[in-house]
Amino acid sequence: MTVLMLAFWALVVGGVVALFRNRRPAGPDSGTTPGRSAENVLDERFARGEIDEQEYHARRAVLHSTQRR
């Protein structure tokens, strides 16, 4: 009887651990999906017309200056 109870709780704990193990964020900054860099997002915003050319170049320059560090 004790062995069955221990086996039951081991399965419950293992199931909970397995559920939460798969809920990790997608990327290291957890705000992006895999394969989408900040530069890609910036390019997409410019292509959609959300930002103008001057803002695009200014933000791109900032991205390139912070990537070198």
Side-chain angles (χ1 to χ4, degrees), residues 17-25:
V17 168
L19 282 175
F20 284 106
R21 185 175 291 174
N22 293 330
R23 293 183 180 237
R24 291 185 191 160

Side-chain angles (χ1 to χ4, degrees), residues 4-22:
L4 288 174
M5 187 167 31
L6 287 174
F8 169 76
W9 285 112
L11 286 172
V12 169
V13 170
V16 170
V17 168
L19 282 175
F20 284 106
R21 185 175 291 174
N22 293 330

Side-chain angles (χ1 to χ4, degrees), residues 15-44:
V16 170
V17 168
L19 282 175
F20 284 106
R21 185 175 291 174
N22 293 330
R23 293 183 180 237
R24 291 185 191 160
D29 56 354
S30 73
T32 61
T33 58
R36 270 187 85 187
S37 68
E39 195 169 334
N40 289 344
V41 173
L42 183 62
D43 292 342
E44 291 171 7

